[in-house]
C-alpha cells in the first residue's frame, strides 16, 4: 500500500515562532527538505541548516532577524545559491533566510537611469525587462540567468563585460539593508550619488553577506551600445594569445570583453552543450568584443585583427551576425558547467594577476597541474587578468578532492606571488579564508574584522566566513590582553 | 573663454589658513612613510589632535575645530612609485599634484580618468580623500571607481594596505571605498594605486544654449540625447550667470563632450547638431583641452584670494533634478542678494554652486539650497567657506538615521580622534 508519510509538525520552539513570522508554508525544517541547502555552488563542503525561511517582504526579514538576534540563533542570507566560495553554506546550523520570494522589479526610472529591485530578483530578468526600451543592466556573471542581484551585491559579482563597464559595485546606487540586530538602514534610496558620510554602499558591496541582509537595491541601468562586433581568434601557442591581449590593450582600445580559453577548456566546451566547432589542437582562443558607436567600431576591429596576425594567429574571424555571436558567447558562458562533460568533478578557482604576468602565471599553473597530476583548464577574463583555473578531479578516488583543493591553493599562491589577488569575483567565503593570509597581514585582517564588528558585533550573521579562523594573531592578542587584565 | 575668472595670484597655505583654518602653527612635512608613522604614532601616544593637508586647496572644506596640536602636510610625500604601462595601473604618493600625474602619464598615452578642480594645486591624496570629481564623471565615474589600492597609516602607526594592484579584486571588504571621501578622518593615505585608461584618440565639445525662459526645451533635448545611442562624456548644464562669464551669453548652456575614436566623435557631434530643436543654439568649442583646463579653475579654493566672502556648495540629486537645482540658483541670483554661478551634470546628478556676497546672505542661501535639495531627496554639502561661517551652517547637512555606523567606523579606526577631528559629518 502506498501512502504519503505525514511530515512531523515543528517541535522546536524557535522554529514555531519563526513559522509564525513567515507563515507555515514559508519554512522548511525537515531534514530531507534541508538537504538542498547544505551547500551552494561550492559543493566540497556540506553542512545542514537549522531551517530555511522564505520571507516575502522587508518586514518579515526584520522580524525574523530580530527574533534570531534576540535569541542568539545564528542566521545567514541566501539568494540562488550559485556562489562558488561557500558563502551561503551554514557552518553553525544557521537559520537560512532565503530571499527568493522577494523577487520583484519595483520600479524603473529610464530618465534617471535607475531601477529598484528586490534582492531575489534574477540578474538577467532585469535586462530582459528593460531591453524593449533599449536599456540593460551591465554586470553579467555567467550565472546571470539564475543568480540574484542580492547575491551579486554580496559577492560584488563581475562578468565578461565588466572590463569596460565595471563590476557590480560600480552600478549600485542605493541599498536597503537589515542589520544583524534587525534595524533597517536605507542608503541613498533615490540613487543620489556621493551621499555625505563614509561610502557604505562601497563597503557593503562585496561584503559576502556578513554585514547585513540586503532587502532592496537601486541599480544603474545603461543604454544599449549602438553596435557590437565580436572576434574569435585561435592561437597555436598560449604566449601568442597572451601577447595579443597586451597589444590590444596597449593600442588604446577598451574592448567590452576580452576572454581567453586554453586547450583543456576548449576540449571541455566542445564536449558541452554549446559546441561551436573550434578546430582541433588549438592552444588558446580569444573572444574579443568591441561595442559603442557603429561608426567607430570597424577601425578598432581592424586593429585587433592585425594585432592577432602579428602574433601568429592560426585563424581569426569576426562574427557574421547576432546568431553567430550568440553561439560564441553561449559556448563561453557555459564553460564551467561544460567541464562536467570531460571530468566527474571540477573545482573553479578565481585568482587575479597583473595582466603583464599572464604568460608566467599560466606556466606556473601548468607546473602545478603536473605536480598534482590533475588536469587544469583555464577559462578567464584575460582583459582584467582574472583567471579561472578549473581543476578537474574525481571525488570517488580517495584523496583526490583534497589534492584538488591543494592544487587550487597553489594556483592562488602563484597569483599572490606576482602581486595579484586570491579572488576577482567569486569571493572568499569559506573556500579561501586561509588564503587571505597570502595577501593580507594580521594587522590588515584585523582592520577588516573591525568593520565587521561595527555592523555585526555578535557575529551571528554568516559566522565563520571571509577571515581565517581562528585568526591566530587576534586570539593570541586577546589572551595576552586577558592575562594582562587579570594580573 | 577669454578672461581668467578669478584672480590667479594664489596665497600661501599659511596666509590661507588665517581665513580657513584646519591648521596648526606646528607643521610637519614628512617626505617618507616612515616619518609619517613616527609623527602620527607620537601624536597618538600624546593624545594630540592632528590636521591633515596636502595641496591646501580644501582648507575651506569642512572642519569646525578651532585649534589643532599639529598639522601634518603631505605635500613632500610625492612622486610616482610604480607605473606598469602594460597593466595600465600607476602607484603614486599622495602629495603628487593631479597635473604632475597626468603630465607624466600623458607620455605613455594614458590618463587617470578624473577631472577634478584645480589640477595644478590639488594633489591626488586630497582629491581621493575628498572624492572630488568633474563634469566627465558621467562617462568615467569618480575616484571610488579608479582607486584599486592604497597604503594607509592608521593613527596608532599601523600601516594597512587596502585592495591591491590588480584591477579586479574582491578579497575581503573593499576598504578602499571607506577611505575615498573620508576627509582624512580614518587614516593617512601614503600611497594610491589607480586604474588607468588610454588617452582618447579624439575629443570634441559642443555648447548648446537657450534663452533663460526656454530651459525646458534644453531639458527635453537632454532627455532625448540620454535616450539615444550617444555616449557623451559630459552633459554639463551651466546657469545663465556662469554662461555670461564663460561665453558672454545670457542663457543656459549645456556642455556636451565626446571622447572616442575620431569617426565616432564626428558622428555624435553631427547627430547633436542635426537633431537639435529649433530654439536651441549650437556651437562647438575650438580648443577643447584649454577650455577644460580653464573650466577646472572657475571656482574659488582656499588658495585663491578674495575680498568678498565666497562659498561653494556641492549638491547631489537625481540626474535630471540638476535642472531644478540650477533654475533655483538662477532665480536666487536674480533676487540680487548673492551672486550665484552654478553648473551640474545632467547625467550624474552633481551640481557645483558658487556663491559670493555678504555673510548673512551666503548663510541664508546655503540653508535654503540645502533645504531645497532635501525636498528633491538630495543633499547639499559646503565645499568651501571661511572658518568663521562654517560654525553658522551645517556643512555636511543633516546626519542620516544610520549615523551611528559612521561613528562606529570612525571609532574603530581612530579611537582617540587623532585625525582631522570635527572635520566631517556630524562632528566626526
Ligand atoms: C556556472 C556559474 C558561473 C558563474 N559565473 C560567475 C561570473 O561570471 N562572475 C561572478 O562574479 N560570479 C559567477 N558565479 C558565482 C555566483 O553566481 C555569484 O557569486 C552570484 O553573485 C551569487 O548569487 P546568488 O544569488 O546565487 O547568491 P548565493 O550563492 O545564494 O549567496 C552568495 C553570498 O551572498 C550572500 N547573500 C545572498 N543574498 C543576500 C542578500 N540579499 N543580502 C546579503 N547577503 C546575501 C550569501 O549569504 C552568500 O554569502 C558563477 C557561478 C556559477 C555556478
Amino acid at each position: 500500500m502506498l501512502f504519503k508519510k505525514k511530515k512531523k509538525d515543528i517541535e522546536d520552539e524557535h522554529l514555531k515562532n519563526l513559522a509564525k513570522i513567515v507563515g507555515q508554508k514559508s519554512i522548511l525544517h525537515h531534514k530531507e527538505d534541508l538537504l538542498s541547502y547544505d551547500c551552494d555552488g561550492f559543493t566540497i563542503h556540506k553542512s545542514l541548516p537549522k531551517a530555511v525561511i522564505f520571507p516575502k517582504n522587508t518586514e518579515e526579514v526584520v522580524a525574523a532577524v530580530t527574533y534570531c538576534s534576540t535569541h542568539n540563533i545564528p542566521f545567514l542570507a541566501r539568494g540562488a545559491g550559485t556562489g562558488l566560495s561557500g558563502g551561503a553554506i551554514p557552518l553553525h546550523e544557521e537559520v537560512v533566510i532565503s530571499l527568493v520570494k522577494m523577487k520583484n522589479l519595483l520600479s524603473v526610472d529610464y530618465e534617471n537611469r535607475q531601477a529598484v529591485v528586490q534582492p531575489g530578483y534574477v540578474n538577467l530578468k532585469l535586462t530582459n525587462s528593460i531591453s524593449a526600451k533599449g536599456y540593460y543592466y551591465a554586470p553579467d556573471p555567467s550565472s546571470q540567468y539564475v543568480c540574484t542581484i542580492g547575491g551579486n551585491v554580496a559577492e560584488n559579482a563581475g562578468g565578461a563585460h565588466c572590463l569596460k563597464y565595471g563590476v557590480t559595485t560600480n552600478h549600485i546606487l542605493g541599498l536597503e539593508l537589515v542589520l544583524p540586530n534587525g534595524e533597517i538602514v536605507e542608503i541613498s534610496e533615490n540613487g543620489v550619488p556621493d551621499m555625505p558620510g563614509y561610502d557604505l554602499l562601497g563597503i557593503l558591496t562585496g561584503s559576502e553577506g556578513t554585514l547585513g541582509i540586503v532587502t532592496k537595491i537601486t541599480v544603474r541601468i545603461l543604454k544599449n551600445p549602438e553596435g557590437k562586433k565580436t572576434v574569435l581568434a585561435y592561437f597555436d601557442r598560449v604566449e601568442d594569445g597572451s601577447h595579443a591581449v597586451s597589444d590590444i590593450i596597449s593600442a588604446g582600445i577598451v574592448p567590452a570583453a576580452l576572454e581567453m580559453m586554453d586547450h583543456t577548456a576548449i576540449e571541455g566546451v566542445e564536449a558541452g552543450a554549446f559546441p561551436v566547432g573550434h578546430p582541433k589542437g588549438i592552444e588558446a582562443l580569444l573572444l574579443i568584443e568591441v561595442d559603442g558607436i557603429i561608426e567607430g567600431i570597424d577601425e578598432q576591429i581592424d586593429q585587433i585583427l592585425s594585432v592577432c596576425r602579428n602574433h601568429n594567429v592560426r585563424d581569426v574571424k569576426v562574427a557574421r551576425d547576432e546568431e553567430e555571436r550568440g553561439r560564441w558567447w553561449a559556448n563561453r558562458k557555459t564553460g564551467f558547467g561544460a567541464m562536467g562533460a570531460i571530468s566527474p568533478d571540477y573545482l573553479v578557482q578565481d585568482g587575479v594577476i597583473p595582466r603583464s604576468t599572464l604568460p608566467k602565471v599560466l606556466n606556473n599553473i601548468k607546473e602545478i597541474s603536473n605536480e598534482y597530476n590533475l588536469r587544469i583548464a583555464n577559462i578567464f577574463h584575460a582583459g582584467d587578468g582574472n583567471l579561472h583555473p578549473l581543476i578537474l578531479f574525481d571525488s570517488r578516488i580517495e584523496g583526490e578532492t583534497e589534492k584538488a583543493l591543494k592544487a587550487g591553493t597553489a594556483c592562488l599562491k602563484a597569483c599572490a606571488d606576482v602581486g595579484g589577488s586570491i579572488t576577482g569575483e567569486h569571493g572568499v567565503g569559506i573556500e579561501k579564508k586561509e588564503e587571505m593570509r597570502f595577501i593580507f597581514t594580521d594587522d590588515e585582517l584585523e582592520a577588516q574584522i573591525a568593520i565587521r564588528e561595527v555592523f555585526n558585533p555578535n557575529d551571528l550573521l554568516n559566522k565563520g566566513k571571509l577571515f581565517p579562523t581562528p585568526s591566530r594573531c587576534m586570539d593570541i592578542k586577546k589572551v595576552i590582553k586577558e592575562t594582562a587584565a587579570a594580573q | 573663454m577669454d578672461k581668467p575668472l578669478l584672480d590667479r595670484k594664489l596665497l600661501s597655505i599659511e596666509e590661507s589658513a588665517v581665513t580657513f583654518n584646519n591648521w596648526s602653527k606646528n607643521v610637519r612635512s614628512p617626505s617618507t612613510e616612515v616619518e609619517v608613522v613616527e609623527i602620527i604614532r607620537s601624536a597618538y601616544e600624546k593624545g594630540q589632535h592632528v590636521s591633515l593637508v596636502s595641496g591646501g586647496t580644501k582648507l575651506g572644506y569642512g572642519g569646525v575645530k578651532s585649534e589643532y596640536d599639529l598639522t601634518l602636510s603631505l605635500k613632500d610625500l610625492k612622486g610616482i612609485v610604480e607605473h606598469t604601462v602594460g597593466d595600465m595601473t600607476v602607484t603614486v604618493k599622495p602629495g603628487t599634484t593631479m597635473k604632475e600625474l597626468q603630465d607624466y602619464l600623458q607620455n605613455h598615452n594614458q590618463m587617470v580618468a578624473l577631472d577634478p578642480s584645480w589640477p595644478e594645486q590639488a594633489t591626488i591624496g586630497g582629491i581621493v580623500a575628498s572624492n572630488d570629481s568633474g563634469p566627465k564623471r558621467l562617462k568615467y565615474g569618480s575616484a571610488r571607481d579608479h582607486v584599486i589600492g592604497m597604503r594607509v597609516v592608521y593613527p596608532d602607526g599601523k600601516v594597512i594596505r587596502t585592495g591591491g594592484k590588480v584591477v579586479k579584486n574582491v578579497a575581503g571588504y573593499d576598504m578602499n571605498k571607506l577611505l575615498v571621501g573620508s576627509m582624512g578622518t580614518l587614516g593617512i593615505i601614503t600611497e594610491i594605486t589607480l586604474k588607468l585608461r588610454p588617452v582618447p584618440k579624439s575629443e570634441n565639445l559642443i555648447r548648446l544654449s537657450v534663452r533663460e525662459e526656454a530651459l525646458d526645451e534644453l531639458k527635453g533635448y537632454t532627455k532625448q540625447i540620454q535616450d539615444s545611442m550617444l555616449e557623451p562624456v559630459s552633459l554639463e548644464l551651466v546657469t545663465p550667470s556662469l554662461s555670461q562669464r564663460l561665453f558672454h551669453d545670457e542663457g543656459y548652456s549645456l556642455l556636451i563632450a565626446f571622447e572616442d575614436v575620431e569617426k565616432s566623435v564626428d558622428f555624435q557631434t553631427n547627430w547633436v547638431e542635426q537633431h537639435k530643436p529649433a530654439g536651441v543654439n549650437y556651437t562647438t568649442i575650438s580648443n577643447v583641452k584649454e577650455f577644460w583646463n580653464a573650466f577646472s579653475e572657475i571656482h574659488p579654493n582656499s588658495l585663491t584670494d578674495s575680498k568678498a566672502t565666497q562659498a561653494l556648495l556641492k549638491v547631489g540629486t537625481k540626474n535630471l533634478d540638476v535642472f531644478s537645482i540650477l533654475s533655483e540658483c538662477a532665480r536666487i541670483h536674480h533676487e540680487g542678494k548673492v551672486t550665484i554661478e552654478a553648473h551640474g551634470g545632467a547625467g550624474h546628478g552633481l551640481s557645483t554652486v558658487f556663491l559670493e556676497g555678504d555673510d548673512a546672505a551666503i548663510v541664508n542661501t546655503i540653508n535654503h539650497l540645502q533645504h531645497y535639495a532635501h525636498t528633491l531627496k538630495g543633499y547639499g554639502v559646503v565645499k568651501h567657506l571661511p572658518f568663521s561661517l562654517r560654525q553658522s551652517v551645517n556643512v555636511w547637512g543633516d546626519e542620516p538615521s544610520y549615523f551611528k555606523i559612521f561613528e562606529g567606523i570612525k571609532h574603530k579606526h581612530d579611537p582617540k580622534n587623532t585625525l582631522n577631528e570635527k572635520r566631517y559629518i556630524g562632528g566626526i
Side-chain angles (χ1 to χ4, degrees):
Chain A
M1 191 174 71
L2 211 73
F3 61 94
K4 213 170 169 197
K5 208 165 61 181
K6 189 176 177 298
K7 286 189 175 176
K8 269 197 298 183
D9 285 342
I10 302 178
E11 283 163 7
D12 183 297
E13 200 57 32
H14 291 314
L15 295 190
K16 274 188 195 160
N17 289 329
L18 286 167
K20 277 184 206 144
I21 292 171
V22 293
Q24 298 294 336
K25 290 205 177 105
S26 297
I27 183 164
L28 299 177
H29 58 96
H30 290 287
K31 185 165 178 227
E32 61 270 29
D33 293 331
L34 297 179
L35 283 174
S36 325
Y37 296 88
D38 67 356
C39 72
D40 54 14
F42 179 65
T43 54
I44 287 176
H45 187 103
K46 295 192 167 148
S47 95
L48 283 180
K50 183 180 176 74
V52 183
I53 58 171
F54 301 87
K56 291 171 284 301
N57 50 46
T58 304
E59 292 68 41
E60 289 184 5
V61 175
V62 168
V65 166
T66 308
Y67 186 87
C68 287
S69 93
T70 319
H71 295 89
N72 232 0
I73 303 166
F75 55 100
L76 62 79
R78 181 178 172 109
T82 66
L84 290 170
S85 53
I89 299 179
L91 296 172
H92 307 88
E93 287 184 36
E94 274 86 353
V95 168
V96 168
I97 302 180
S98 166
L99 282 311
V100 294
K101 286 197 177 170
M102 292 175 65
K103 56 174 182 189
N104 292 318
L105 171 60
L106 298 176
S107 63
V108 185
D109 176 353
Y110 292 99
E111 288 188 346
N112 289 298
R113 293 198 171 184
Q114 44 179 268
V116 183
V117 301
Q118 289 187 312
Y121 194 57
V122 168
N123 174 300
L124 188 60
K125 280 198 173 166
L126 179 52
T127 292
N128 290 344
S129 307
I130 59 182
S131 64
K133 290 220 155 103
Y135 289 79
Y136 76 113
Y137 176 58
D140 63 336
S142 302
S143 50
Q144 69 185 135
Y145 56 97
V146 277
C147 67
T148 66
I149 296 186
N152 295 164
V153 170
E155 299 291 354
N156 190 11
H161 291 80
C162 293
L163 176 59
K164 179 168 177 184
Y165 295 101
V167 293
T168 301
T169 195
N170 308 108
H171 299 271
I172 300 303
L173 301 173
L175 288 177
E176 180 188 82
L177 184 82
V178 177
L179 292 176
N181 66 4
E183 273 175 49
I184 301 184
V185 168
E186 178 103 48
I187 307 156
S188 191
E189 61 173 307
N190 293 287
V192 171
D194 293 358
M195 287 303 285
Y198 301 125
D199 181 3
L200 299 187
L201 296 179
I203 199 79
L204 289 167
T205 307
S207 62
E208 303 195 17
T210 63
L211 301 182
I213 298 185
V214 173
T215 46
K216 197 166 78 186
I217 306 147
T218 306
V219 300
R220 187 196 313 283
I221 56 174
L222 298 179
K223 194 79 215 289
N224 284 333
E226 187 191 17
K228 291 183 186 166
K229 280 205 172 164
T230 311
V231 173
L232 186 56
Y234 298 117
F235 296 87
D236 290 318
R237 291 178 349 131
V238 175
E239 292 75 21
D240 286 332
S242 307
H243 291 137
V245 170
S246 299
D247 282 5
I248 289 166
I249 303 285
S250 319
I253 297 171
V254 184
L258 180 37
E259 302 282 301
M260 190 159 165
M261 287 195 231
D262 73 358
H263 181 86
T264 311
I266 295 169
E267 185 191 327
V269 292
E270 287 301 286
F274 298 92
V276 298
H278 299 310
K280 293 258 170 326
I282 294 298
E283 285 303 317
L285 76 72
L286 292 181
L287 186 61
I288 311 155
E289 192 157 280
V290 174
D291 68 13
I293 300 292
I294 288 173
E295 299 277 325
I297 293 181
D298 279 344
E299 70 176 87
Q300 299 181 64
I301 292 291
D302 288 345
Q303 262 180 302
I304 289 171
L305 296 179
S306 77
V307 166
C308 290
R309 291 192 186 109
N310 287 344
H311 290 288
N312 313 312
V313 73
R314 188 200 287 189
D315 188 16
V316 57
K317 52 189 176 184
V318 182
R320 281 183 305 260
D321 49 28
E322 191 50 36
E323 192 269 333
E324 187 166 45
R325 177 183 168 267
R327 281 197 297 120
W328 292 355
W329 273 114
N331 178 267
R332 159 64 186 89
K333 288 206 171 183
T334 53
F336 295 176
M339 295 307 132
I342 59 166
S343 170
D345 299 284
Y346 62 93
L347 173 70
V348 183
Q349 263 309 354
D350 174 39
V352 199
I353 54 170
R355 205 165 25 222
S356 54
T357 61
L358 198 55
K360 175 176 165 25
V361 175
L362 288 178
N363 242 332
N364 292 348
I365 293 177
K366 206 193 257 166
E367 284 161 18
I368 293 165
S369 165
N370 291 339
E371 185 186 333
Y372 287 88
N373 198 21
L374 289 173
R375 294 214 291 163
I376 302 183
N378 287 292
I379 299 192
F380 56 99
H381 312 300
D384 40 30
N386 187 185
L387 304 184
H388 291 313
L390 302 162
I391 297 145
L392 311 186
F393 68 102
D394 185 348
S395 60
R396 292 164 305 186
I397 299 174
E398 165 106 29
E400 199 152 299
T401 305
E402 290 68 34
K403 216 161 76 170
L405 283 167
K406 279 193 185 141
T409 300
C411 291
L412 296 183
K413 184 80 175 45
C415 294
D417 285 348
V418 295
S421 173
I422 58 161
T423 171
E425 51 183 27
H426 297 165
V428 175
I430 54 178
E431 185 202 17
K432 296 186 267 291
K433 285 193 302 189
E434 284 307 317
E435 286 79 355
M436 284 284 272
R437 295 186 194 281
F438 292 167
I439 54 173
F440 291 120
T441 63
D442 284 347
D443 278 349
E444 288 160 356
L445 292 170
E446 258 183 79
Q448 298 187 29
I449 291 169
I451 299 302
R452 185 185 66 197
E453 286 166 358
V454 174
F455 288 84
N456 183 11
N458 303 323
D459 204 7
L460 277 178
L461 173 62
N462 217 359
K463 188 181 163 89
K465 307 289 167 72
L466 210 58
F467 302 109
T469 42
S471 176
R472 276 158 241 158
C473 74
M474 290 242 296
D475 283 0
I476 291 164
K477 277 187 194 160
K478 210 165 148 200
V479 173
I480 293 173
K481 245 190 220 160
E482 281 164 7
T483 349
Q487 277 162 1
Chain B
M1 186 172 356
D2 35 46
K3 64 174 180 189
L5 306 164
L6 298 155
D7 189 351
R8 290 286 283 109
K9 185 179 80 61
L10 297 183
L11 303 172
S12 69
I13 296 192
E14 290 76 9
E15 289 168 317
S16 149
V18 175
T19 311
F20 295 101
N21 207 343
N22 285 323
W23 188 258
S24 152
K25 291 213 165 58
N26 181 13
V27 183
R28 300 284 303 275
S29 306
S31 55
T32 64
E33 185 186 88
V34 174
E35 289 171 70
V36 173
V37 170
E38 278 166 10
I39 295 167
I40 206 65
R41 184 181 285 148
S42 129
Y44 176 81
E45 278 160 9
K46 291 183 200 140
Q48 290 182 326
H49 299 288
V50 181
S51 77
L52 301 178
V53 66
S54 183
T57 59
K58 298 178 181 71
L59 289 181
Y61 197 165
V64 290
K65 188 175 166 68
S66 47
E67 254 177 83
Y68 288 91
D69 302 306
L70 177 70
T71 288
L72 188 75
S73 167
L74 295 154
K75 72 175 174 34
D76 293 337
L77 190 61
K78 65 188 296 175
I80 312 281
V81 179
E82 188 182 359
H83 175 216
T84 323
V85 182
D87 294 336
M88 300 203 89
T89 58
V90 71
T91 301
V92 59
K93 292 189 206 165
T96 317
T97 67
M98 196 63 183
K99 176 146 193 327
E100 288 165 342
L101 178 57
Q102 300 288 35
D103 284 352
Y104 164 84
L105 293 169
Q106 174 75 40
N107 297 329
H108 302 273
N109 234 353
Q110 297 182 349
M111 64 176 190
V112 178
L114 273 177
D115 58 338
S117 51
W118 296 94
E120 254 178 82
Q121 282 71 34
T123 62
I124 188 71
I127 290 162
V128 166
S130 65
N131 191 20
D132 197 18
S133 62
K136 296 184 185 177
R137 173 177 175 136
L138 170 56
K139 172 155 179 185
Y140 297 120
S142 62
R144 81 193 284 280
D145 303 304
H146 304 298
V147 174
I148 56 173
M150 296 191 207
R151 288 176 71 90
V152 182
V153 178
Y154 275 33
D156 61 1
K158 271 202 291 283
V159 179
I160 300 295
R161 292 163 311 153
T162 63
K165 294 200 167 171
V166 284
V167 296
K168 204 169 167 195
N169 192 356
V170 297
Y173 297 142
D174 190 352
M175 303 288 280
N176 291 323
K177 299 284 188 293
L178 277 187
L179 271 299
V180 174
S182 66
M183 293 300 290
T185 58
L186 297 180
I188 305 169
I189 302 169
T190 51
E191 232 179 68
I192 302 169
T193 304
L194 296 141
K195 242 199 272 210
L196 304 175
R197 286 188 64 106
V199 171
K201 299 196 167 113
S202 174
E203 66 179 323
N204 202 358
L205 180 58
I206 296 165
R207 182 169 74 91
L208 299 181
S209 54
V210 290
R211 288 172 300 114
E212 190 160 348
E213 310 74 60
L215 182 59
D216 278 347
E217 205 160 339
L218 198 54
K219 185 174 178 182
Y221 193 40
T222 304
K223 285 192 211 169
Q224 194 186 334
I225 290 171
Q226 279 285 68
D227 197 40
S228 73
M229 76 303 236
L230 299 192
E231 301 178 352
V233 168
S234 82
L235 279 175
E236 199 73 6
L237 184 67
V238 175
T239 57
S241 53
L242 184 56
S243 288
Q244 173 67 26
R245 175 152 69 105
L246 297 176
F247 313 109
H248 308 293
D249 182 347
E250 296 223 323
Y252 282 97
S253 299
L254 182 71
L255 301 173
I256 309 175
F258 295 111
E259 299 186 352
D260 201 346
V261 295
E262 194 175 338
K263 278 188 187 152
S264 156
V265 169
D266 291 350
F267 170 83
Q268 298 185 77
T269 308
N270 291 335
W271 194 99
V272 172
E273 186 173 13
Q274 279 159 16
H275 292 79
K276 77 172 181 61
V280 172
N281 290 313
Y282 168 100
T283 43
T284 51
I285 289 173
S286 47
N287 197 332
V288 180
K289 283 203 173 54
E290 216 170 88
F291 176 85
W292 284 127
N293 281 339
F295 191 84
S296 71
E297 299 184 352
I298 58 178
H299 297 313
N301 70 50
S302 43
L303 300 176
T304 54
D305 203 1
S306 162
K307 298 279 170 301
T309 303
Q310 297 177 326
L312 277 185
L313 196 64
K314 167 179 177 176
V315 179
T317 56
K318 280 194 184 185
N319 299 351
L320 285 173
D321 286 339
V322 162
F323 282 88
S324 311
I325 295 293
L326 262 58
S327 61
E328 182 63 6
C329 288
R331 190 190 64 74
I332 300 169
H333 179 75
H334 289 312
E335 284 180 354
K337 291 181 200 129
V338 287
T339 305
I340 300 195
E341 297 176 345
H343 59 92
H348 61 66
L350 293 177
S351 304
T352 308
V353 183
F354 172 21
L355 309 169
E356 191 173 283
D358 67 53
D359 290 3
I362 285 198
V363 168
N364 285 337
T365 311
I366 288 173
N367 290 337
H368 172 77
L369 283 173
Q370 283 180 324
H371 176 76
Y372 183 77
H374 214 74
T375 61
L376 298 171
K377 303 196 168 160
Y379 64 86
V381 163
V382 183
K383 278 177 84 171
H384 174 74
L385 192 68
F387 179 67
S388 57
L389 292 184
R390 291 207 295 271
Q391 332 268 352
S392 333
V393 298
N394 194 351
V395 169
W396 298 96
D398 294 331
E399 291 148 28
S401 56
Y402 47 86
F403 180 68
K404 70 175 191 316
I405 295 179
F406 293 164
E407 286 180 311
I409 291 170
K410 168 73 175 177
H411 185 75
K412 290 286 183 189
H413 283 80
D414 185 13
K416 296 175 163 184
N417 292 325
T418 309
L419 297 176
N420 274 359
E421 193 189 21
K422 300 206 168 93
R423 185 80 185 255
Y424 203 34
I425 185 165
I428 282 177

